[in-house]
Amino acid sequence: MDVMGDKATLFETGRFVQPSGTEPARDEMVDMGEAAEETRLALAAQSGDAEAASVLGAMLLRRGDLDGAEPHLRAATAAGDRAAANNLGVLLHQRGYPEEAAGWWRIAAVAGSAAAAHALGRHHRERGDEPAAEYWLRQSAEQGHVLGAYALADLLEHRGDVAARHWMRAAAERGHREAAYRLARALDRTAGPGEETAGDNAVVEAEQWYRQAAARGHRRAALHLGAILEKRGELKEAGRWYLTSAKDGEPRAACALGFLLRDAGDTESAAVWWLRAAQEGDGNAANALGALHAERGETQTAERWYRAALDAGDDNGAYNLGLLCAEQGRTAQAEQWYRRAAYAGHREAANALAILLLQGGDTTGAEPWFSKAAEAGSVDAAFNLGILYAGRGEEEMALRWYERAAAAGHAEAALQVGIARLREGDEQEAERHLRCAAGGGSAEGAYRLATLLDARRPPEPAHELGEIVQEKTECEEWYERAASQGHRRAQVRVGMLAAARGDVVEAARWYRAAAEAGSRNGAFNLGLLLAREGSEPEAAVWWTRAADAGHGRAALRLALVYARRGELAEGQRWADRAVALGPAEVAERAARLRDALREELSA
């Protein structure tokens, strides 16, 4: 209970200036001044000065000298000093006589002491008498007592009374840091979706109160202020507040500071703060340390920190232990940890468990875990359910889950929906989903979107070889995006478009990329380009690669090359290969060539 004094204020000692070398230490000056003031007050009290006795009693009470303070406070109280009555109540409360303390607080409160009314209100609340508590706390609050306003707000908030916000604000405006923090938290909860303008105003006001509480040393307010600033991108100031909160012992701030430092590239400093937070029981920090050691290949240390996270009540610890075991091939243990996290409601663990079961051939066991994870909001699980149903031939159910995952931004799910809409002939919906897939990084989505747009393009006039045209259509841009992600068919198509523009160098680059990645069309087209440029021997190398991969036209080209060289037997062999590979028109031409070569060989 704080010591209060309505009329009593301690005399402030002046500043003494003494010659250099003889000036006492500042603490000694204060002690000397307090001793002189105490002596003066004691003399005045002995002569019957009630106000001096009240001030002296308050001074001794603050010092913890209850025996010395009590007679002075009782003397001043008997003379009608309400501040002394309040402080006598504080003294008796500290001695363990709450009922007698309440009696003196009542006397002081009736006499108009806001501090006593606050103390009396708290006394009644501790006893469970809320009506009496509200009455006295309201008396204190209405007189402008900051602690009374806060205590009244706390009581009303406990009841769900809307008037609590008014008194919490009143206490915050008078500098009560916990009131400022709680007001900010309430405003944070008010700022929800659906009320954008009101929400934005609430966020701004919440930040102001967080800032006020943080400036007064409230560590949780500093944490929340840092989070607001980090979300807004003001990382430097966010880091300062996280640091302030972390130094005051807030483990969540230490953890957040660690992530901020990691993102800035300072992993070593991040680990220091994560360690500090983890040692204070922060599971998120323990997981972060585990991940850091796992990245370094220190699996035993990683496992220890994941277990620490689990012991701290963080289910991510079990999930991460499952991931660690799965990476090491310890499938049985991975399943055990996944199950533990999944049963605790961890949706990604449920999805991982389902994948593990599916890989083991347990489709029946996997499906309910996929469903549980998907219903809990796991986008990957929704996509995996789509794959599961598609594998069974249940296209309608598969599409339903693909659509759900696509709506949440899953690129590969959007691709599957786009393909399904193309089959149905709904090009508009197909394009919409393919754009989502392509924008989400799906190379196949970008390629299919490009082919869809390509089919709509009017035919362009042919360009002479070597004539470079810089303009590119949207479909070519999507082809290039897919090609740059390693999509072989897209690479071939980009090469063809470049060749059509007359850009031989660009065409050759993309054909070669596709061919080296195993595209037989890329190898064939690269051969055509090289042959056109007069490099038939090198062209034959790529045609051989394409023909060996099953490309009929490449085999026919090789047959023609060897026929021109006079290597009739080799030409006949490749002609036979072209007949076998097709397609029909190639097979027909190859058959004629083969027959001609056969006649030539038998002549």
Side-chain angles (χ1 to χ4, degrees), residues 45-232:
Q46 287 173 5
S47 64
D49 188 332
E51 185 173 347
S54 177
V55 173
L56 180 58
M59 181 183 291
L60 295 169
L61 183 59
R62 287 192 187 95
R63 190 184 299 163
D65 184 0
L66 304 187
D67 291 336
E70 186 170 354
H72 295 296
L73 292 176
R74 286 190 179 277
T77 299
D81 190 296
R82 68 183 190 188
N86 173 53
N87 287 334
L88 180 58
V90 172
L91 185 147
L92 291 167
H93 187 272
Q94 290 181 11
R95 284 192 184 279
Y97 302 111
E99 297 305 324
E100 189 179 351
W104 289 112
W105 282 329
R106 182 181 296 276
I107 289 170
V110 169
S113 171
H118 163 249
L120 186 57
R122 288 186 58 180
H123 169 79
H124 283 299
R125 188 174 182 189
E126 288 168 4
R127 295 296 181 278
D129 187 354
E130 288 197 2
E134 182 181 352
Y135 174 81
W136 288 111
L137 290 175
R138 193 175 293 278
Q139 294 294 317
S140 175
E142 288 176 349
Q143 291 180 64
H145 194 275
V146 62
L147 296 177
Y150 175 72
L152 177 60
D154 185 65
L155 176 64
L156 295 174
E157 188 174 87
H158 174 71
R159 288 187 195 164
D161 193 322
V162 294
R165 180 76 64 88
H166 165 76
W167 290 109
M168 196 69 78
R169 186 181 296 277
E173 287 172 348
R174 292 183 178 96
H176 195 289
R177 70 178 190 181
E178 185 65 26
Y181 171 72
R182 289 177 63 174
L183 181 59
R185 295 295 294 147
L187 289 164
D188 254 353
R189 290 189 289 270
T190 302
E195 297 181 14
E196 293 185 5
T197 303
D200 289 344
N201 291 337
V203 169
V204 170
E205 190 179 358
E207 180 183 342
Q208 292 171 349
W209 290 116
Y210 279 137
R211 197 175 287 278
Q212 177 174 310
R216 290 177 176 271
H218 196 292
R219 70 185 194 185
R220 283 174 295 162
L223 167 67
H224 286 285
L225 178 58
I228 289 172
L229 294 166
E230 182 181 3
K231 187 176 180 181
R232 204 160 63 211

Side-chain angles (χ1 to χ4, degrees), residues 342-414:
Y343 277 121
H346 196 293
R347 66 190 188 191
E348 297 309 326
N351 180 57
L353 174 60
I355 292 172
L356 203 64
L357 294 170
L358 195 61
Q359 289 171 342
D362 186 1
T363 308
T364 305
E367 184 178 346
W369 285 112
F370 276 139
S371 296
K372 185 174 182 179
E375 294 295 349
S378 171
V379 181
D380 287 335
F383 176 66
N384 290 334
L385 268 178
I387 294 174
L388 197 66
Y389 283 115
R392 294 176 183 169
E394 299 178 41
E395 298 296 337
E396 188 175 339
M397 283 294 294
L399 184 58
R400 184 184 306 173
W401 285 108
Y402 284 146
E403 286 177 331
R404 184 163 176 174
H410 196 289
E412 294 303 318

Side-chain angles (χ1 to χ4, degrees), residues 32 54 56 64 175 194 205 260-261 275 278 452 485 499 524 548 554 586:
M32 289 167 57
S54 177
L56 180 58
E205 190 179 358
L260 213 59
L261 289 165
L275 179 61
L452 182 65
Q485 292 176 260
F524 175 70
D548 287 340
V586 170

